[in-house]
Each structure stands twice: as C-alpha cells, then as structure tokens.
C-alpha cells in the first residue's frame, strides 16, 4: 500500500513538472507557436462544444478497429499456413520480406484509385498495415515451436490437423498476441496519413486542416486525442489478452511487478 502511494505521488510530481515545463515553453515561444496546457484545453473545449471532436474520434476509432480486426483475422491463418507448409513458406517468405518494407502511406494513392475515397480505401490501408506485422509474428511463433513437441504428438498418433490445433496454435498464441498489439500502433499511423491526404473527417483531418487556420491548439488537441486513443486501446487489448489468453502464457505488461 505504501509502495502504491509513493508511486502515485511520483507520477503526480512527474506530470506536474511536465505540464509546468510545457507552460513555461509556451510563454517563451508564444501560444501561436507552442500552445500551453491552458490554451490547448480551451481549444479542446471549443471542439467539444460544437461536437466535432467526439465525432472525429469516433470516426477514426471505427476505421482503425475495423481495419485492425480484419487484418488480424486474415493474417493469423495465413501466418500459420506459411509457417507449417514448407513449400508455401519457400515462395511466400521472400515476398513478405520485400513488401513489408513498403510503408502503408506509400499505398494511399493506389488505394484511392482502387477503392475510391470512401471508407473502403482507409480500412484497406489499415488492413495492409496490420496484415504483415501479424503474419510475420505468427510465422515466427510457428517456427519457434520445438520439434520435440511435434514428434511427441506424432508418436501418440496425432494427425497433422491435431498437431496444428493442439500443439502449434497454443505455442504460437503469445507471438500472435504480440503481433496484434504491435499492429495497433501501425494502424494509427496509417489512418492518420490517410485522413490527412484523403478525408474530410477524423483526427488526421483535424490535425491537417488546423494548419489552414493556424490553430496550433487544435493540432495539439488532435495529438493528445491520438495518444489517449492508442493508450486506451492498447490497455484494453492487453487486459483482454491477460484475462482470456493467460493459460497460453500471455501476460499484460500492466500486470508485471518488479
């Protein structure tokens, strides 16, 4: 209990020091260049008052969750197949290692041509951003399964399907989960790029459009919202993983104590 109190006091002091430094720098450079906490809070209140901020948060969250979920659901079975079937891995691995170095934002123009300027292109972009990260983590997990476990299952008469279901998948779950969490961060980067270039709604649009009015406070509001959205989403995914997948060795970082 005393340790928790000390930790809480330390966090409070760090946040207070950070906000104070931010405010001092704002006074030094001027609120037009670096808006302070008070100026940013006023800008956020303006956006909340007209309803646009909550609307943009909802739209961006929907796009990220849709693309991230679809990408993860597609990537996990693909990663298992590539990892389990040697001939598939021989052909797929060079392609994966080539295309994964092309950032999602490089595909924005092509996706707009292929899928239009609506929601489909943005969700497809996030799906792409998610897909390869989860595939590679799943593939790594499959390849890391000890050969002795597979041989033991075979010696007891298990079929290849049973080996995948009862040996490979349980051993690979922590790798899948890590890939899914990493892909969440990439998904937010992808959607911000897409909303800046080809959207009239969303947090990315808010940040990009604010420059036209020289509203740096709105830009900071957008950045803070992004951080909070990512933080909350990651903690929620971590909590679900710890509760539902604990038996497979998945442990949320928030549950670790040193």
């Amino acid at each position: 209990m005393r340790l928790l109190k000390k930790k809480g006091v330390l966090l409070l002091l760090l946040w207070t020091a950070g906000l104070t430094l931010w405010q001092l720098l704002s006074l030094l450079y001027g609120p037009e260049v670096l808006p302070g906490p008070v100026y940013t809070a006023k800008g956020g209140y303006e956006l909340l008052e007209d309803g646009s901020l909550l609307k943009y948060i909802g739209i961006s969250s929907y796009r990220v969750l849709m693309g991230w979920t679809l990408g993860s659901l597609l990537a996990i079975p693909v990663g298992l197949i590539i990892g389990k079937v040697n001939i598939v891995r021989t052909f797929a691995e060079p392609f994966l290692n080539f295309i994964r170095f092309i950032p999602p934002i490089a595909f924005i123009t092509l996706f707009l041509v292929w899928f239009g300027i609506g929601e489909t292109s943005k969700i497809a972009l996030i799906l792409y951003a998610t897909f390869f990260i989860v595939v590679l983590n799943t593939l790594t997990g499959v390849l890391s399964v000890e050969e002795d476990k597979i041989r033991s299952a075979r010696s007891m008469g298990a079929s290849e399907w049973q080996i995948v279901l009862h040996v490979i998948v349980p051993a690979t779950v922590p790798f899948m989960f890590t890939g899914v969490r990493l892909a969440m961060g990439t998904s937010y980067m992808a959607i911000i790029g897409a909303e800046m270039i080809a959207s009239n709604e969303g947090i990315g649009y808010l940040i990009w459009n604010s420059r036209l009015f020289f509203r740096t406070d709105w830009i900071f509001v957008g950045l803070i919202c992004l951080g909070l959205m990512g933080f909350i989403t990651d903690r929620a995914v971590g909590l679900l993983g710890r509760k539902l997948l604990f038996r497979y060795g998945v442990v949320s970082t928030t549950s670790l104590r040193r």
Side-chain angles (χ1 to χ4, degrees), residues 66-78:
M66 281 293 294
W68 172 73
T69 302
L70 291 173
S72 299
L73 291 175
L74 289 172
I76 288 172
V78 170

Side-chain angles (χ1 to χ4, degrees), residues 53-67:
L53 183 59
L54 293 179
K55 177 184 175 184
Y56 291 162
I57 290 173
I59 290 169
S60 293
S61 298
Y62 165 78
R63 290 166 175 167
V64 168
L65 290 175
M66 281 293 294

Side-chain angles (χ1 to χ4, degrees), residues 36-116:
V38 176
Y39 201 70
T40 301
K42 288 179 180 178
Y45 180 75
E46 288 179 34
L47 294 170
L48 280 172
E49 201 171 27
D50 65 14
S52 59
L53 183 59
L54 293 179
K55 177 184 175 184
Y56 291 162
I57 290 173
I59 290 169
S60 293
S61 298
Y62 165 78
R63 290 166 175 167
V64 168
L65 290 175
M66 281 293 294
W68 172 73
T69 302
L70 291 173
S72 299
L73 291 175
L74 289 172
I76 288 172
V78 170
L80 289 171
I81 292 169
I82 295 173
K84 186 69 176 67
V85 185
N86 289 332
I87 190 168
V88 175
R89 186 165 66 252
T90 301
F91 289 99
E93 209 166 14
F95 172 75
L96 287 173
N97 286 318
F98 168 77
I99 200 167
R100 72 188 179 94
F101 288 105
I102 304 175
I105 198 169
F107 281 99
I108 289 178
T109 305
L110 279 176
F111 278 29
L112 289 174
V113 172
W114 293 341
F115 304 111

Side-chain angles (χ1 to χ4, degrees), residues 49-231:
E49 201 171 27
D50 65 14
S52 59
L53 183 59
L54 293 179
K55 177 184 175 184
Y56 291 162
I57 290 173
I59 290 169
S60 293
S61 298
Y62 165 78
R63 290 166 175 167
V64 168
L65 290 175
M66 281 293 294
W68 172 73
T69 302
L70 291 173
S72 299
L73 291 175
L74 289 172
I76 288 172
V78 170
L80 289 171
I81 292 169
I82 295 173
K84 186 69 176 67
V85 185
N86 289 332
I87 190 168
V88 175
R89 186 165 66 252
T90 301
F91 289 99
E93 209 166 14
F95 172 75
L96 287 173
N97 286 318
F98 168 77
I99 200 167
R100 72 188 179 94
F101 288 105
I102 304 175
I105 198 169
F107 281 99
I108 289 178
T109 305
L110 279 176
F111 278 29
L112 289 174
V113 172
W114 293 341
F115 304 111
I117 61 173
E119 295 299 305
T120 305
S121 60
K122 298 169 186 62
I123 292 173
L125 189 70
I126 298 167
L127 190 154
Y128 168 84
T130 300
F131 183 81
F132 291 99
I133 295 176
V134 180
V135 164
L136 287 168
N137 275 271
T138 304
L139 170 60
T140 302
V142 174
L143 296 178
S144 70
V145 178
E146 296 175 9
E147 189 64 29
D148 289 345
K149 292 182 178 179
I150 297 174
R151 288 175 182 169
S152 298
R154 282 203 185 103
S155 69
M156 289 186 285
S159 65
E160 291 301 313
W161 172 249
Q162 288 174 322
I163 290 172
V164 170
L165 196 61
H166 299 292
V167 178
I168 293 177
V169 169
T172 310
V173 166
F175 292 86
M176 297 177 189
F177 186 72
T178 299
V180 165
R181 289 188 74 175
L182 290 173
M184 176 63 75
T186 310
S187 298
Y188 275 103
M189 289 189 281
I191 193 56
I192 293 307
E195 289 177 346
M196 283 182 172
I197 294 172
S199 182
N200 56 3
E201 293 175 315
I203 295 296
Y205 168 78
L206 170 65
I207 293 171
W208 186 247
N209 197 52
S210 296
R211 83 196 194 286
L212 300 176
F213 308 101
F214 207 67
R215 292 298 302 265
T216 51
D217 55 332
W218 289 358
I219 295 174
F220 268 71
V221 171
L223 294 174
I224 292 169
C225 287
L226 275 177
L228 288 173
M229 289 161 62
F231 177 81

